[in-house]
Amino acid sequence: MDKFEVKLDQAARAAWMSYVGGITQDEIASQLGVSRPGVQRLLALARQEGLIKVHIDHPIAACMTLASAIRERFGLDYCDVVPAEASAPEGAAYYLAVAGAERVARLVERSDPLTLSLGTGRSVRATVESLSRVERPQHRFVSLVGNVARDGSSNRYDGVMVLADKTGGQRFLLPSPVVASSVEEKASLQQQPLFLAITQVALEAEAAFIGVGRIDRQATLFQDHFISEDELDELLGRHAVGELLGWPMTADGEVIECSITRRVTSLPLEMFRAQPIVALAGGVAKGPAILAALRGGWLKGLVTDQLAARHIIEHA
Amino acid sequence: MDKFEVKLDQAARAAWMSYVGGITQDEIASQLGVSRPGVQRLLALARQEGLIKVHIDHPIAACMTLASAIRERFGLDYCDVVPAEASAPEGAAYYLAVAGAERVARLVERSDPLTLSLGTGRSVRATVESLSRVERPQHRFVSLVGNVARDGSSNRYDGVMVLADKTGGQRFLLPSPVVASSVEEKASLQQQPLFLAITQVALEAEAAFIGVGRIDRQATLFQDHFISEDELDELLGRHAVGELLGWPMTADGEVIECSITRRVTSLPLEMFRAQPIVALAGGVAKGPAILAALRGGWLKGLVTDQLAARHIIEHA
DNA sequence: TTTGCGTACGATCATTTGATCGATCAATGA
DNA sequence: TCATTGATCGATCAAATGATCGTACGCAAA
């Protein structure tokens, strides 16, 4: 038995006494016949050699492991993963909304004036609906996506009105459909003073909370008739797997150039490179779209659920 | 989801960040949006609720678990369990000797005068042979068992001479066989001034390190002809499972009263109730004998191996 | 035997964690 | 509505742990 093994043996003893036996380094020192700093060194060696395995016996632990892996893999500021187990009675969408609301609340609840952008989508809407009321008339909230449906009605997933109502803050809404009916219509809309003023506010935002959309027959863009079936096929033919703010992208996160994207009225994603964009999206079906956004480097934060997170890590 | 589950959720998060993520309570506090003492409370809750499972990934850990269980079950001052795996090239007896020597060294290496008693046996002998030399002429070492074999030769397992040679300390040997050939011979031996003087020294010992003997055909008492085959059968008939210092005992640790024990020349075990007796013994075959000694409350310490320790815990 | 280098170790200081105390808040009962 | 009780929480202090520095020791080479 060589010297290193003897030392490792002793380190394992000390580690057992400390972590399993729960005694102080002083007591371990007197029991092993070494000094207290000597014990601390043994414990450091045990940690360094990976002798100490810790397991948190709670569903959350698996989520946090995934979250940590995603955060590190894609260089995010943060990643929150919520449980998606059958034991969760209200469903993952509820937890996603609560977790998203927590993140939004951290910004909204402060007193300094804040400018915050929102995308649209079920998750974004659920998030702001989960938020508690707080009086913050000094804040400004701006929508990054047009809030008009193709038939002229308001966007059913808009969150800016809800958020502004809950806080008393100012609201800025893009009065346009997310995809114009023609390139000319888009050009006309983007020259209106209101559009330019809202663009300016959006550029001043401290953060943006957005949804992630799929490109398939269940896509909001398709379901809400912003794009036709032919256009859907076209996007699929160009390997589109998801969209952010109406901008379709490939699995690598590259925005697709085509006739459809030339008609998207949302502010170009490139304008927000310097802003933290946080995606709120979950479900295994959203996995490919979220992964695309991550690969493209568009996101600084992610709030998702375990199912999507697993997909992301398995395919990263 | 009730308040306790929310709290437990948060505790699990904090625990993950601390124990798996390895970050400080301050950092966790800022990430969870609570105060540092709040984090400390969450971690305490996680510990209290048993969410944190620690495993030491080293063979020693299993030994320490057994040792801790034996120590608590029998109220020992200490219990050292050494590995008994096939991966240990030198065998468990070597580790047992090294561990025993460590315990003896703690006493022997100090400068204050020490009086120490020794029993006999392979383990005791191996232990003192594992001990490093140290100059301690002020110490006294006394044998608790006669060091004469039935044929008049010295006891091959005596440790007092070895120990005294290694330290330069004084040696006190009982010049008698462990079992006299008659009650009269025992009486005669015990009245000799030398015997009385050695008894007095033994009573002043701070601790005693002894072996544990079996009562079967491999028993030292039988192999070395201290007892005959009939006497072995008699002891087995009286449910003897082991012996300490030649005193045979039942599985409950009660010293057996019979013609054989009336001839044992060792000092009566009852004389050492106030002294810490440490047993040095290992191997699965020694399990029952060690367990008997523990049940009888004769031991204050134990140095053993994993095989014996398992037996003890499984049958305790 | 001496010298030089690397490692181990205790003293000491800095940082982190654990625990207590008092104030505040929320819930309950009169 | 008010008073009481229990729980929560931050401020603060005590205890424990982590890390640095200087010294001593062990080992190898000259």
Side-chain angles (χ1 to χ4, degrees), chain B residues 6-276:
Chain B
V6 171
K7 178 66 70 173
L8 205 61
D9 212 74
Q10 215 176 13
R13 276 183 203 280
W16 193 95
M17 289 177 186
S18 174
Y19 289 98
V20 181
I23 64 176
T24 64
Q25 293 181 1
D26 258 334
E27 287 181 38
I28 297 170
S30 70
Q31 285 185 39
L32 291 188
V34 303
S35 65
R36 201 281 299 170
V39 169
Q40 194 259 314
R41 289 193 182 98
L42 289 172
L43 295 181
L45 175 64
R47 281 194 294 270
Q48 178 195 312
E49 293 299 319
L51 302 191
I52 299 156
K53 310 290 187 196
V54 182
H55 166 246
I56 308 298
D57 196 4
H58 191 278
I60 281 280
C63 298
M64 302 198 73
T65 302
L66 289 169
S68 184
I70 292 170
R71 203 186 66 240
E72 286 180 19
R73 170 68 186 75
F74 296 102
L76 306 182
D77 290 343
Y78 61 85
C79 177
D80 298 334
V81 179
V82 300
E85 255 72 77
S87 63
E90 297 96 333
Y94 168 73
Y95 289 115
L96 191 58
V98 170
E102 237 182 84
R103 286 291 172 180
V104 174
R106 292 207 200 177
L107 295 171
V108 167
E109 284 177 6
R110 71 180 208 197
S111 301
D112 295 354
L114 165 76
T115 303
L116 193 60
S117 307
L118 290 195
T120 65
R122 279 187 194 81
S123 298
V124 174
R125 176 79 187 220
T127 289
V128 295
E129 281 177 353
S130 289
L131 213 54
S132 302
R133 287 181 171 274
V134 62
E135 204 59 35
R136 291 291 185 275
Q138 63 270 39
H139 292 350
R140 297 186 297 178
F141 304 109
V142 54
S143 176
L144 294 180
V145 187
N147 77 327
V148 180
R150 189 41 68 81
D151 65 2
S153 63
S154 288
N155 185 328
R156 57 182 164 151
Y157 300 130
D158 182 70
V160 166
M161 296 297 293
V162 177
L163 192 48
D165 285 344
K166 288 197 170 185
T167 59
Q170 283 177 279
R171 66 209 64 186
F172 299 83
L173 305 173
L174 273 175
S176 60
V178 58
V179 183
S181 53
S182 68
V183 173
E184 292 78 27
E185 183 188 24
K186 174 184 168 175
S188 171
L189 287 167
Q190 292 191 326
Q191 284 171 359
Q192 297 190 14
L194 184 59
F195 199 98
L196 297 169
I198 290 170
T199 300
Q200 186 56 39
V201 174
L203 282 175
E204 290 162 17
E206 280 184 44
F209 288 87
I210 65 174
V212 180
R214 301 143 66 167
I215 302 287
D216 58 23
R217 302 198 75 79
Q218 271 70 54
T220 306
L221 285 186
F222 180 62
Q223 293 285 327
D224 288 1
H225 307 292
F226 290 116
I227 58 173
S228 64
E229 184 147 1
D230 285 346
E231 286 170 333
L232 176 62
D233 288 339
E234 184 183 349
L235 288 177
L236 291 171
R238 288 172 179 266
H239 311 295
V241 299
E243 54 92 5
L244 295 183
L245 307 177
W247 298 102
M249 59 186 63
T250 62
D252 290 333
E254 297 190 357
V255 176
I256 289 162
E257 294 264 9
C258 65
S259 65
I260 300 151
T261 51
R262 284 194 284 276
R263 295 169 17 231
V264 172
T265 62
S266 313
L267 304 177
L269 281 179
E270 285 293 342
M271 290 175 65
F272 302 106
R273 282 283 190 193
Q275 269 189 33

Side-chain angles (χ1 to χ4, degrees), chain A residues 3 7 34-38 41:
Chain A
K3 291 187 67 170
K7 178 66 72 174
V34 302
S35 66
R36 200 281 298 172
R41 289 193 182 98

Side-chain angles (χ1 to χ4, degrees), chain A residues 77-78 100 103-104 107-108 114-120 124 127-128 140-145 160 163 201-212 244-245 267-269 271-281 298-303:
Chain A
D77 291 343
Y78 61 85
R103 287 290 172 180
V104 174
L107 297 171
V108 167
L114 166 77
T115 302
L116 192 62
S117 306
L118 290 194
T120 65
V124 174
T127 290
V128 294
R140 298 185 297 178
F141 305 109
V142 53
S143 174
L144 294 179
V145 187
V160 166
L163 190 49
V201 174
L203 283 173
E204 289 162 16
E206 279 186 45
F209 287 87
I210 67 172
V212 179
L244 295 183
L245 306 177
L267 304 176
L269 282 180
M271 288 173 69
F272 302 105
R273 282 284 189 192
Q275 268 189 33
I277 304 188
V278 180
L280 308 166
W298 302 109
L299 305 179
K300 281 296 177 208
L302 175 65
V303 181

